[in-house]
């Protein structure tokens, strides 16, 4: 096992441990593990010790473990849409839990608020926030560009399609109509709404395809693609899942620039390390968890299940197998977050994922073509694809037992145990097949 991969596992376990143990216990467990690694296994690679210690320091100084006191004036950073938002920073630190607020008479946008929060629900972390002072965070040049372009595009498509475009291309999924989000969740394809590897892969593919028409050296093509991809990330609503996808895409392009062989497993581990150092509380982000679980199943599990023998239908069968593997691996975490078991989302993924990909392709291109071309050519395609997606969703939600609702609460520790068992079973099956 490479140093990067092992360190990635260390950081991942610590990131999960932040949500399963008190911080002091996590520190003691980490110190015990590092001592045992050094004195028990005699492993002396400095990276195995430095990064976990630095990560503990990062957690200590950047994560807010305290509860909100309704009597105190607090400072928060949030992104408001239609009077609601999630606290992204609490007293300049990442809150350990997802905390949501509602405010009155505040226009949409990013803010730093000073005020008091009063809890509304005992079951959920939802607060009414009394704003005493507000400071609006201005958009950067790239966000302004996408915002202006989006307003122009929305003139030629329906509101529902325009909001869907804003959600899947710019990462503002909260603007997607609630009934559409719920239908995507019921059908087990909610991952299509989050900016992930699929989106970044499409973006890189489009950029490189355009650059192929010019006589440019390979290094310059990949450099231009990397710069363009970075501009895109600066212009959209960032999240741990989109940042993970960006890291993977950037590593791919840098590897092509320097003619290095791409090691997807090391890239994946490096993405985990960087992601957790920037967002220590990433594990509380649903999109982040789904994104990493999907990628993990594709990298580590699918290769052990795919068909290697020559067959006429090998590629099609392997595609079905890959979707099946992903589905099995996201089901426990899907149940943990949504209290739902998606029984037949295998079918819905097979149908809706290609349509979603077509929408992402034309949606991304929409922001970089003249308005007249969008009006005549792209707008009808986007609207048509969106209408088809919505019709299919309406059909799928009528299918009984497509997903089963269950009010049972499972602890995070039990979910982790399920994943350990799944990995053992898949690897055991793989070893049996080899024998």
């Amino acid at each position: 096992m490479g140093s990067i991969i092992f360190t990635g596992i260390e950081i991942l376990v610590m990131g999960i441990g932040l949500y399963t143990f008190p911080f002091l216990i996590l520190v003691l467990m980490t110190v015990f593990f590092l001592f045992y690694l050094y004195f028990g296994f005699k492993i002396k690679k400095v990276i195995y010790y430095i990064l976990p210690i630095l990560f503990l320091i990062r957690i200590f100084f950047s994560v807010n473990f305290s509860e909100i006191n309704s009597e105190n004036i607090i400072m928060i950073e949030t992104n408001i849409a239609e009077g609601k938002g999630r606290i992204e920073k609490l007293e300049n630190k990442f809150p350990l839990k997802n905390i949501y607020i509602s405010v009155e008479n505040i226009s949409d946008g990013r803010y730093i608020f000073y005020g008091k929060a009063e809890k509304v629900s005992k079951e959920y972390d939802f607060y009414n926030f009394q704003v005493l002072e507000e400071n609006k965070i201005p958009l950067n040049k790239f966000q302004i560009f996408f915002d202006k372009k989006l307003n122009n595009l929305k003139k030629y498509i329906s509101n529902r399609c325009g909001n869907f475009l804003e959600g899947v291309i710019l990462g503002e999924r909260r603007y997607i109509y609630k009934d559409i989000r719920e239908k995507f969740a019921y059908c087990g394809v909610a991952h299509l709404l989050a900016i992930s590897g699929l989106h970044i892969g499409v973006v890189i593919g489009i950029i490189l395809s355009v650059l192929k028409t010019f006589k440019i050296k390979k290094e310059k093509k990949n450099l231009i693609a990397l710069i363009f991809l970075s501009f895109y990330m600066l212009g959209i609503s960032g999240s741990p899942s989109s940042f993970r996808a960006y890291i993977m895409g950037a590593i791919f392009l840098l590897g092509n620039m320097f003619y290095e062989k791409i090691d997807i497993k090391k890239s994946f581990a490096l993405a985990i390390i960087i992601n957790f150092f920037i967002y220590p509380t990433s594990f509380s982000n649903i999109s982040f968890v789904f994104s990493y679980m999907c990628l993990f199943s594709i990298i580590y599990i699918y290769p052990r299940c795919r068909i290697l023998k020559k067959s006429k239908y090998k590629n099609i069968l392997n595609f079905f197998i890959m979707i099946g593997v992903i589905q099995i691996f996201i089901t426990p975490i899907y149940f943990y977050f949504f209290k739902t078991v998606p029984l037949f989302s295998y079918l819905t993924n097979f149908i809706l994922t290609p349509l979603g990909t077509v929408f992402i392709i034309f949606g991304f291109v929409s922001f970089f073509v003249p308005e007249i071309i969008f009006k005549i050519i792209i707008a009808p395609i986007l609207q048509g694809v969106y209408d088809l997606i919505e019709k299919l969703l309406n059909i799928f939600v009528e299918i009984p037992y497509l997903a089963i609702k269950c009010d049972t609460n499972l602890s995070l520790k039990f979910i982790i145990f399920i994943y350990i068992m799944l990995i053992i079973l898949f690897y055991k099956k793989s070893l049996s097949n080899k024998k």
Side-chain angles (χ1 to χ4, degrees), residues 48-208:
Y48 291 169
Y49 305 92
I50 294 296
L51 286 183
I53 292 171
L54 290 177
F55 186 50
L56 287 176
I57 295 172
R58 170 65 173 160
I59 292 173
F60 180 78
F61 285 105
S62 65
V63 176
N64 193 316
F65 296 93
S66 61
E67 297 287 337
I68 294 177
N69 189 328
S70 59
E71 297 180 356
N72 296 337
I73 294 175
I74 58 174
M75 180 185 74
I76 65 170
E77 183 178 325
T78 183
N79 194 350
I80 296 297
E82 300 177 349
K84 296 179 181 179
R86 180 176 67 86
I87 295 180
E88 298 176 0
K89 290 283 186 71
L90 175 61
E91 303 292 355
N92 268 330
K93 293 184 177 182
F94 296 103
L96 188 61
K97 298 183 290 186
N98 287 324
I99 306 173
Y100 299 90
I101 63 166
S102 64
V103 292
E104 295 181 355
N105 303 319
I106 299 292
S107 60
D108 291 359
R110 297 185 66 85
Y111 291 89
I112 293 177
F113 289 142
Y114 293 86
K116 293 184 177 182
E118 182 179 355
K119 196 166 188 178
V120 176
S121 170
K122 292 182 179 179
E123 186 178 355
Y124 303 102
D125 288 304
F126 192 86
Y127 293 78
N128 282 331
F129 196 84
Q130 180 187 356
V131 179
L132 302 177
E133 182 183 337
E134 65 179 76
N135 295 308
K136 191 167 187 178
I137 302 173
L139 300 175
N140 62 45
K141 292 181 180 179
F142 306 104
Q143 291 171 327
I144 292 171
F145 166 78
F146 281 112
D147 192 52
K148 287 183 178 179
K149 190 69 176 180
L150 178 69
N151 290 331
N152 288 332
L153 300 181
K154 282 187 173 182
K155 294 186 295 186
Y156 306 105
I157 53 181
S158 68
N159 285 334
R160 293 175 75 87
C161 182
N163 287 7
F164 190 75
L165 177 67
E166 185 173 7
V168 299
I169 302 299
L170 301 185
E172 295 286 358
R173 59 184 293 177
R174 61 211 173 126
Y175 288 110
I176 300 174
Y177 279 62
K178 185 179 178 181
D179 66 309
I180 294 296
R181 296 200 307 268
E182 290 175 348
K183 288 172 183 176
F184 266 89
Y186 177 77
C187 295
V189 289
H191 58 277
L192 292 176
L193 302 180
I195 292 182
S196 60
L198 173 63
H199 298 69
I200 300 301
V202 167
V203 171
I204 292 175
I206 292 172
I207 298 169
L208 293 179

Side-chain angles (χ1 to χ4, degrees), residues 222-373:
N222 285 279
L223 178 59
I224 293 171
L226 179 59
I227 293 171
F228 204 96
L229 181 65
S230 300
F231 287 164
Y232 171 62
M233 289 302 299
L234 289 170
I236 66 175
S237 178
S239 69
S241 64
S242 62
F243 189 70
R244 188 277 304 165
Y246 168 73
I247 295 171
M248 297 290 290
I251 291 172
F252 169 78
L253 292 170
L254 288 169
N256 285 342
M257 285 171 58
F258 297 106
Y259 298 100
E260 294 289 339
K261 183 180 178 181
I262 305 298
D263 188 325
I264 189 67
K265 293 181 180 179
K266 289 183 179 179
S267 301
F268 181 62
L270 184 60
I272 288 175
I273 294 169
I274 297 174
N275 216 140
F276 271 107
F277 265 92
I278 294 178
Y279 300 103
T281 57
S282 288
F283 200 71
S284 66
N285 183 279
I286 297 176
S287 299
F288 167 85
V289 176
F290 275 115
S291 178
Y292 272 88
M293 287 308 303
C294 289
L295 191 56
F296 174 84
S297 62
I298 292 172
I299 294 174
Y300 286 95
I301 306 301
Y302 164 66
R304 297 175 178 275
C305 303
R306 65 182 175 178
I307 298 171
L308 298 176
K309 294 179 182 179
K310 290 184 178 180
S311 172
K312 185 179 179 180
Y313 303 104
K314 185 177 81 169
N315 291 336
I316 296 175
L317 291 172
N318 279 335
F319 180 68
F320 276 105
I321 291 171
M322 183 177 71
I323 292 178
V325 168
I326 293 173
Q327 194 58 53
I328 291 171
F329 259 75
I330 66 172
T331 295
I333 205 72
Y334 207 94
F335 177 80
Y336 178 76
F337 283 113
F338 299 112
K339 301 295 186 289
T340 302
V341 179
L343 291 180
F344 299 104
S345 55
Y346 181 90
L347 172 65
T348 55
N349 266 285
F350 184 72
I351 296 173
L352 291 174
T353 297
L355 284 174
T357 303
V358 172
F359 190 93
I360 292 168
I361 292 171
F362 284 98
F364 178 75
V365 171
S366 300
F367 286 88
F368 303 99
V369 296
E371 191 172 330
I372 187 66
I373 294 178

